[in-house]
Amino acid sequence: MPDNKEFNSPASEITPQTLFNSRRQFMRLAAATAAVGVLPGMADAKALPKLHYTRNKSLSTSETKTTPYDVTHYTNFYEFDTSKFTPYAYASQLKTRPWTITIDGEVKKRKVVDIDRLIKLAPLEERIYRMRCVEGWAMVIPWLGYPLSKLLKQVQLTSRAKYVEFISLEDPLQMPNQQTDVLQWPYREGLRLDEAMNPLTLLTVGLYGERLPNQNGAPVRVVVPWKYGFKSPKSIVQIRLVEYPTTTSWMLASPTEYGFYANVNPLVDHPRWSQATEQRIGEHGRRDTLLFNGYGKYVEKLYIGMNLVDYF
Ligand code: MTE
């Protein structure tokens, strides 16, 4: 990921120690937020009712979860900053209500869904997923959401709908880094339709039992756990059904480094670093990277016959 000195440092330098530095400040913040029972960075969410959910055990890992502190303070949200340590503060005033998602493109009838109606759509599930960032760090996060397929099944697709494009909010007044050209805005991502319909692909509205903190993509984001983290777009306002794959924000920024598929794969190195190992935040030492981030049993059938080096 270009133009960011953190990205240019070897992945091994991204250690839990770097997170430790601002921990004392966080402890004070945590004491303040404990009183209202919310994760930091949820300005609009404080007044909203609690989310109800059940854990989906079969799709959850039992591995040790990354702490709420690390999940909410070490984030990538380029609309606010290219540093990982500041979005939790810069995003705190993002207005997340009212908020709608427009579903359009290759659909028989365009649909506009209000986020609070969306949350009532289906019982929410908690799913504890392994997440892997392309830069080499990894986390285990208890998300709240439901399969994106549930929403997509509510619209009638045309026969030309082969891919799904996700578009994040564009609002340079609220998202000051959109006044720079570090990426082409709005942030755009995409999946093949069968990837979007895979039961693992989660339309996500919460984490750790609460609504998504702004810096993690409030009020709604997509989570795709077998792909590198940049394929999990935050604060989305539009889902567009399309005939051809989207040229995503990261493909536009650096086409040789970031492909459309971006499946986690220890054998396909990033041009500037190896992907063979990863640093799980909160742990010492590195782990081996798992093909499809360990979700092969659910997704390998999507890629039969494809050369994953060419389709990186
Ligand atoms: N979505 C938007 N809109 N803007 C971003 O900068 N960063 C991506 C992804 N989604 C990003 C985004 C990247 S690079 C990663 S690794 C994940 O969000 C990080 O998610 P997290 O901060 O909740 O761990």
Side-chain angles (χ1 to χ4, degrees), residues 9 15 75 82 88 91 104 109 122 138 172 192 266 285 305:
S9 58
T15 65
T75 59
T82 53
Y88 93 91
D104 62 3
K109 198 164 173 271
R192 223 169 55 194

PDB file of all heavy atoms in Angstrom, residues 9 15 75 82 88 91 104 109 122 138 172 192 266 285 305:
ATOM      1  N   SER A   9       7.644  -0.381   6.020  1.00  0.00           N
ATOM      2  CA  SER A   9       8.486  -1.076   6.975  1.00  0.00           C
ATOM      3  C   SER A   9       8.184  -2.566   6.889  1.00  0.00           C
ATOM      4  O   SER A   9       7.077  -2.953   6.544  1.00  0.00           O
ATOM      5  CB  SER A   9       8.212  -0.568   8.394  1.00  0.00           C
ATOM      6  OG  SER A   9       6.862  -0.754   8.712  1.00  0.00           O
ATOM      7  N   THR A  15       4.498  -4.656  15.553  1.00  0.00           N
ATOM      8  CA  THR A  15       4.428  -5.549  16.703  1.00  0.00           C
ATOM      9  C   THR A  15       3.384  -5.078  17.690  1.00  0.00           C
ATOM     10  O   THR A  15       2.972  -3.923  17.669  1.00  0.00           O
ATOM     11  CB  THR A  15       5.774  -5.571  17.447  1.00  0.00           C
ATOM     12  OG1 THR A  15       5.975  -4.254  17.977  1.00  0.00           O
ATOM     13  CG2 THR A  15       6.908  -5.948  16.534  1.00  0.00           C
ATOM     14  N   THR A  75      -6.349   0.365  13.107  1.00  0.00           N
ATOM     15  CA  THR A  75      -7.297   0.187  12.010  1.00  0.00           C
ATOM     16  C   THR A  75      -6.771   0.873  10.753  1.00  0.00           C
ATOM     17  O   THR A  75      -6.011   1.833  10.828  1.00  0.00           O
ATOM     18  CB  THR A  75      -8.672   0.806  12.361  1.00  0.00           C
ATOM     19  OG1 THR A  75      -8.498   2.197  12.635  1.00  0.00           O
ATOM     20  CG2 THR A  75      -9.300   0.125  13.571  1.00  0.00           C
ATOM     21  N   THR A  82      -3.734   7.848   6.741  1.00  0.00           N
ATOM     22  CA  THR A  82      -3.015   6.653   6.299  1.00  0.00           C
ATOM     23  C   THR A  82      -2.339   5.952   7.488  1.00  0.00           C
ATOM     24  O   THR A  82      -1.864   4.829   7.335  1.00  0.00           O
ATOM     25  CB  THR A  82      -1.946   6.998   5.246  1.00  0.00           C
ATOM     26  OG1 THR A  82      -1.110   8.022   5.770  1.00  0.00           O
ATOM     27  CG2 THR A  82      -2.580   7.462   3.951  1.00  0.00           C
ATOM     28  N   TYR A  88      -9.240   5.957  14.882  1.00  0.00           N
ATOM     29  CA  TYR A  88     -10.205   5.830  15.988  1.00  0.00           C
ATOM     30  C   TYR A  88     -10.579   7.199  16.542  1.00  0.00           C
ATOM     31  O   TYR A  88     -11.710   7.421  16.968  1.00  0.00           O
ATOM     32  CB  TYR A  88      -9.678   4.886  17.080  1.00  0.00           C
ATOM     33  CG  TYR A  88      -8.946   5.570  18.204  1.00  0.00           C
ATOM     34  CD1 TYR A  88      -9.636   5.989  19.342  1.00  0.00           C
ATOM     35  CD2 TYR A  88      -7.587   5.811  18.125  1.00  0.00           C
ATOM     36  CE1 TYR A  88      -8.963   6.631  20.372  1.00  0.00           C
ATOM     37  CE2 TYR A  88      -6.918   6.450  19.130  1.00  0.00           C
ATOM     38  CZ  TYR A  88      -7.604   6.854  20.253  1.00  0.00           C
ATOM     39  OH  TYR A  88      -6.965   7.505  21.253  1.00  0.00           O
ATOM     40  N   ALA A  91     -12.235   9.456  13.259  1.00  0.00           N
ATOM     41  CA  ALA A  91     -13.546   9.011  12.757  1.00  0.00           C
ATOM     42  C   ALA A  91     -14.652   9.175  13.791  1.00  0.00           C
ATOM     43  O   ALA A  91     -15.820   8.926  13.494  1.00  0.00           O
ATOM     44  CB  ALA A  91     -13.462   7.540  12.328  1.00  0.00           C
ATOM     45  N   ASP A 104     -28.359  -1.179  -6.652  1.00  0.00           N
ATOM     46  CA  ASP A 104     -28.793  -0.835  -8.009  1.00  0.00           C
ATOM     47  C   ASP A 104     -27.905  -1.511  -9.046  1.00  0.00           C
ATOM     48  O   ASP A 104     -27.210  -2.476  -8.734  1.00  0.00           O
ATOM     49  CB  ASP A 104     -28.855   0.689  -8.178  1.00  0.00           C
ATOM     50  CG  ASP A 104     -27.493   1.358  -7.989  1.00  0.00           C
ATOM     51  OD1 ASP A 104     -26.494   0.645  -7.788  1.00  0.00           O
ATOM     52  OD2 ASP A 104     -27.431   2.593  -8.035  1.00  0.00           O
ATOM     53  N   LYS A 109     -35.357  -3.955  -9.988  1.00  0.00           N
ATOM     54  CA  LYS A 109     -35.876  -2.770  -9.301  1.00  0.00           C
ATOM     55  C   LYS A 109     -34.874  -2.331  -8.247  1.00  0.00           C
ATOM     56  O   LYS A 109     -34.517  -3.122  -7.379  1.00  0.00           O
ATOM     57  CB  LYS A 109     -37.228  -3.131  -8.642  1.00  0.00           C
ATOM     58  CG  LYS A 109     -38.045  -1.943  -8.283  1.00  0.00           C
ATOM     59  CD  LYS A 109     -39.508  -2.361  -8.005  1.00  0.00           C
ATOM     60  CE  LYS A 109     -40.305  -1.195  -7.482  1.00  0.00           C
ATOM     61  NZ  LYS A 109     -40.256  -1.058  -6.064  1.00  0.00           N
ATOM     62  N   ALA A 122     -32.989  -9.684   9.739  1.00  0.00           N
ATOM     63  CA  ALA A 122     -32.793 -11.107  10.042  1.00  0.00           C
ATOM     64  C   ALA A 122     -32.105 -11.173  11.391  1.00  0.00           C
ATOM     65  O   ALA A 122     -31.460 -10.223  11.793  1.00  0.00           O
ATOM     66  CB  ALA A 122     -31.905 -11.712   8.982  1.00  0.00           C
ATOM     67  N   ALA A 138      -2.495  -9.760  11.468  1.00  0.00           N
ATOM     68  CA  ALA A 138      -3.730 -10.548  11.501  1.00  0.00           C
ATOM     69  C   ALA A 138      -4.413 -10.374  12.853  1.00  0.00           C
ATOM     70  O   ALA A 138      -3.778 -10.042  13.856  1.00  0.00           O
ATOM     71  CB  ALA A 138      -3.402 -12.017  11.248  1.00  0.00           C
ATOM     72  N   PRO A 172     -15.932  14.521   1.728  1.00  0.00           N
ATOM     73  CA  PRO A 172     -14.628  15.086   2.132  1.00  0.00           C
ATOM     74  C   PRO A 172     -14.710  16.011   3.344  1.00  0.00           C
ATOM     75  O   PRO A 172     -13.700  16.223   4.011  1.00  0.00           O
ATOM     76  CB  PRO A 172     -14.161  15.853   0.895  1.00  0.00           C
ATOM     77  CG  PRO A 172     -15.002  15.373  -0.225  1.00  0.00           C
ATOM     78  CD  PRO A 172     -16.277  14.848   0.341  1.00  0.00           C
ATOM     79  N   ARG A 192     -16.854 -11.366  -7.066  1.00  0.00           N
ATOM     80  CA  ARG A 192     -17.651 -12.106  -8.038  1.00  0.00           C
ATOM     81  C   ARG A 192     -18.972 -12.449  -7.347  1.00  0.00           C
ATOM     82  O   ARG A 192     -18.985 -12.614  -6.111  1.00  0.00           O
ATOM     83  CB  ARG A 192     -16.882 -13.376  -8.422  1.00  0.00           C
ATOM     84  CG  ARG A 192     -16.892 -13.695  -9.893  1.00  0.00           C
ATOM     85  CD  ARG A 192     -15.906 -14.774 -10.203  1.00  0.00           C
ATOM     86  NE  ARG A 192     -16.141 -15.960  -9.380  1.00  0.00           N
ATOM     87  CZ  ARG A 192     -15.279 -16.979  -9.240  1.00  0.00           C
ATOM     88  NH1 ARG A 192     -14.120 -16.939  -9.879  1.00  0.00           N
ATOM     89  NH2 ARG A 192     -15.566 -18.000  -8.481  1.00  0.00           N
ATOM     90  N   PRO A 266      -0.257 -18.056   1.031  1.00  0.00           N
ATOM     91  CA  PRO A 266       1.153 -17.972   1.439  1.00  0.00           C
ATOM     92  C   PRO A 266       2.123 -18.099   0.267  1.00  0.00           C
ATOM     93  O   PRO A 266       3.286 -17.706   0.381  1.00  0.00           O
ATOM     94  CB  PRO A 266       1.317 -19.161   2.400  1.00  0.00           C
ATOM     95  CG  PRO A 266       0.213 -20.106   2.059  1.00  0.00           C
ATOM     96  CD  PRO A 266      -0.931 -19.257   1.541  1.00  0.00           C
ATOM     97  N   GLY A 285       6.157 -13.578  17.994  1.00  0.00           N
ATOM     98  CA  GLY A 285       6.497 -14.565  16.964  1.00  0.00           C
ATOM     99  C   GLY A 285       5.492 -14.516  15.836  1.00  0.00           C
ATOM    100  O   GLY A 285       4.428 -13.917  15.973  1.00  0.00           O
ATOM    101  N   GLY A 305      -9.714 -24.741 -11.090  1.00  0.00           N
ATOM    102  CA  GLY A 305      -9.257 -24.496 -12.471  1.00  0.00           C
ATOM    103  C   GLY A 305      -8.652 -23.114 -12.680  1.00  0.00           C
ATOM    104  O   GLY A 305      -8.210 -22.786 -13.785  1.00  0.00           O
TER     105      GLY A 305
END
